[in-house]
Amino acid sequence: MTLGEEQEQLQEGEVNGRLELGVRRLTISHVENACSFYAYMEREDTMMLDIKTVVARQCEVLQRLTGRPRVDDLCGVEKEEAWYRGRVEQVGQGVDKDLVRVRMVDFGWNCLVRVECLVELPGSLRELKVRCEKYRLTGLKPKGRADGFSAADRLRGKEWLERII
């Protein structure tokens, strides 16, 4: 089996107006807040490691971007000596407006990087299916500043979810 070939076999049905996807065994890759997290199917654990290896092998030899990418561009991203596939969410960030916010599509987390940390992804990596999905706990909504919750409160909510899943 090559990367991206496996097809998910889940029974779908509607329950109380919601799409019922059956039981999924997940590997959590990133907890965003007290109500949402990113995960991929447990059986894809080794495939996710393979993706990191393939991305690194192909991206480390490519020329770095020199101009600003566009929002929604899929790029190779170097972060802490590792390579990821990332989707550009924002440009012109940071005090000097020289940073780019990218979300690592295979793992869910995002960060700010310099343009020099980005490369144009080869076609084979752009076409590779993104397996990481965002999940939200039904009926919950994270509270923000407008609700009187501080950044520390939101962090405690995130830590709570990390402990229980």
Side-chain angles (χ1 to χ4, degrees), residues 17-54:
R18 294 197 171 110
L19 187 62
E20 175 64 44
L21 294 175
V23 176
R24 291 181 171 199
R25 295 185 57 84
L26 301 173
T27 298
I28 309 300
S29 57
H30 173 66
V31 175
E32 189 162 79
N33 56 44
C35 302
S36 59
F37 60 93
Y38 288 82
Y40 49 88
M41 301 297 285
E42 182 181 68
R43 67 178 179 261
E44 296 173 341
D45 276 349
T46 56
M47 185 182 297
M48 300 310 284
L49 292 173
D50 292 343
I51 286 174
K52 282 180 69 173
T53 303
V54 169

Side-chain angles (χ1 to χ4, degrees), residues 114-144:
R114 296 193 174 285
V115 171
E116 301 84 40
C117 295
L118 303 175
V119 299
E120 185 176 333
L121 272 182
S124 61
L125 292 179
R126 274 196 312 272
E127 294 167 8
L128 190 61
K129 180 180 176 185
V130 174
R131 299 190 172 279
C132 187
E133 295 180 0
K134 184 174 185 175
Y135 293 84
R136 292 193 178 135
L137 301 178
T138 303
L140 296 178
K141 181 181 179 215
K143 302 290 183 175

Side-chain angles (χ1 to χ4, degrees), residues 3 45-61 81-85 106-107 125 128:
L3 288 178
D45 276 349
T46 56
M47 185 182 297
M48 300 310 284
L49 292 173
D50 292 343
I51 286 174
K52 282 180 69 173
T53 303
V54 169
V55 170
R57 195 174 303 135
Q58 290 189 32
C59 288
E60 65 190 2
V61 297
E81 298 181 21
W83 284 92
Y84 304 92
R85 293 189 307 159
D106 297 308
F107 300 97
L125 292 179
L128 190 61

